[in-house]
Amino acid sequence: MSIQKVMVVGAGQMGSGIAQVFAQSGYEVILNDLNQEALQKGIRFIEKVLSKDVAKGKITEKNKADALSRLSTSERIKDAGDCDLVVEAIVESMEAKMSVFKELDQIAPKHTILASNTSSLPITEIAAVTNRPEKVIGMHFMNPVPVMKLVEIIRGLATSDETYNTIAYTSKQLNKISVEVNDFPGFVSNRILLPMINEAIYTVYEGVASPEDVDTVMKLGMNHPMGPLQLADFIGLDTCLSIMEVLHEGLGDSKYRPCPLLRKYVKAGWLGKKTARGFYEYS
Ligand code: CAA
């Protein structure tokens, strides 16, 4: 099956990055969110990233203009009516995702694939609220989407081979490398990444070292591009906590218990870069 037109639901950090890579790869893209403010913020961010790429000589002004011309915005999910693929990138709430998938299932044509960019919620459970579980799949991009090469493709229990093959092919068209993963809590990426971040938080909580020193160990000692606490601030501490809770509940092992300091920061509203305060302060 060939994908021509795509809707991305959610114009936040992930959704706008996903919309950008689809538009740059020649797809017609509708970026959808609940209001104009969110949509304009997403579009401005895409324009800024593309302008930087032009300034660096990575793309031409024409490449930028072409990508932007393929991108439109919509506040109505009903506009998915002529899309071949919908990629949902809204908040990590099962209730919110179920409601969007139910609505999409009613509106989208029979052939349309419904993908979720969830970082840890079960694809099988999301698929179960639709009448097309064979066409529901996880398409998990990494942040920042235009830079990171990976797409983790998650097969729900009922996902068909045809759906998987279409998404694997589409990921290649986006110039990404995909991996095939079965639907278990945290998939592969976050089952490994988040316990490392949680352990880094425990290291600070137990007074072993400061956040700066923990990050320096991992950057200079292990060659990570970013320390785990800075990365946690970038991901969002609320998202980190909700992924740890999914791992803890879904795998039932105490090694996945979220660090009390992570809970405390989230309760305080210190959610990382987006609130200008997490393990670090941002201006
Ligand atoms: N959007 C687009 N491009 C961006 C960007 C963004 N938000 N942030 C940085 N870039 C680009 C820069 O423009 C730059 O491009 P060029 O090479 O063409 O100049 C490139 O990325 C490198 O950026 P910088 O030189 O400014 O900075 P850096 O060397 O520190 O790299 C980084 C930035 C690529 C983000 C790097 O720090 C990194 O790899 N960090 C770790 C990222 C990571 O682990 N992501 C996974 C997060 S987990 C996740 O997403 C899954 C989940 O479910 C939670």
Side-chain angles (χ1 to χ4, degrees):
M1 191 198 128
S2 118
I3 305 288
Q4 315 280 340
K5 192 163 180 185
V6 182
M7 175 181 272
V8 178
V9 182
Q13 183 170 244
M14 295 303 287
S16 52
I18 295 167
Q20 182 191 324
V21 295
F22 271 103
Q24 280 189 282
S25 307
Y27 294 89
E28 287 296 316
V29 187
I30 305 174
L31 183 59
N32 167 275
D33 208 311
L34 296 173
N35 56 61
Q36 271 305 321
E37 199 190 335
L39 288 169
Q40 288 319 312
K41 197 173 163 204
I43 294 291
R44 275 198 304 274
F45 185 70
I46 294 171
E47 283 172 347
K48 199 171 122 193
V49 173
L50 291 174
S51 298
K52 267 196 193 164
D53 285 350
V54 173
K56 284 180 205 152
K58 282 173 75 183
I59 60 168
T60 63
E61 271 294 349
K62 182 170 185 319
N63 296 146
K64 175 186 158 190
D66 286 349
L68 290 174
S69 74
R70 285 190 282 267
L71 198 57
S72 59
T73 59
S74 158
E75 289 170 59
R76 302 175 336 144
I77 218 159
K78 282 192 174 58
D79 293 334
D82 61 350
C83 290
D84 310 302
L85 168 66
V86 181
V87 183
E88 166 276 314
I90 64 165
V91 286
E92 284 295 277
S93 146
M94 183 53 102
E95 207 186 336
K97 287 189 194 291
M98 280 178 165
S99 146
V100 164
F101 274 75
K102 262 188 205 158
E103 197 176 352
L104 286 169
D105 189 38
Q106 311 266 310
I107 298 155
K110 285 264 170 295
H111 75 275
T112 305
I113 294 178
L114 305 181
S116 175
N117 177 57
T118 179
S119 51
S120 65
L121 296 173
I123 298 301
T124 307
E125 207 174 323
I126 296 172
V129 301
T130 72
N131 291 312
R132 62 178 93 192
E134 73 289 352
K135 292 201 173 292
V136 178
I137 194 160
M139 197 176 187
H140 184 206
F141 292 83
M142 304 294 129
N143 186 34
V145 181
V147 180
M148 306 299 282
K149 291 297 283 183
L150 181 74
V151 176
E152 193 177 31
I153 303 181
I154 302 105
R155 293 184 80 125
L157 199 58
T159 307
S160 69
D161 288 343
E162 192 196 354
T163 300
Y164 172 78
N165 290 334
T166 304
I167 294 302
Y169 175 80
T170 305
S171 302
K172 219 180 203 175
Q173 300 305 108
L174 301 177
N175 200 21
K176 303 285 183 198
I177 309 286
S178 67
V179 292
E180 180 180 358
V181 174
N182 286 320
D183 190 17
F184 280 91
F187 317 133
V188 171
S189 55
N190 285 325
R191 182 166 176 167
I192 297 173
L193 177 66
L194 262 295
M196 182 192 72
I197 288 176
N198 197 45
E199 201 57 33
I201 301 173
Y202 265 110
T203 312
V204 172
Y205 177 61
E206 291 170 6
V208 180
S210 67
E212 289 81 359
D213 285 347
V214 169
D215 278 351
T216 299
V217 167
M218 299 308 286
K219 278 191 288 185
L220 302 187
M222 283 77 190
N223 243 0
H224 287 198
M226 206 179 241
L229 298 168
Q230 190 189 359
L231 183 55
D233 276 357
F234 274 62
I235 292 170
L237 300 187
D238 50 343
T239 303
C240 291
L241 177 58
S242 84
I243 298 172
M244 283 312 297
E245 277 168 344
V246 166
L247 290 174
H248 195 206
E249 197 188 311
L251 298 166
D253 190 320
S254 66
K255 73 181 176 185
Y256 299 111
R257 76 231 173 278
C259 178
L261 187 61
L262 175 60
R263 287 193 191 283
K264 196 179 223 176
Y265 276 28
V266 172
K267 281 200 178 122
W270 296 6
L271 306 182
K273 196 158 182 265
K274 63 186 165 191
T275 58
R277 182 153 201 183
F279 289 97
Y280 299 93
E281 286 182 38
Y282 304 84
S283 49

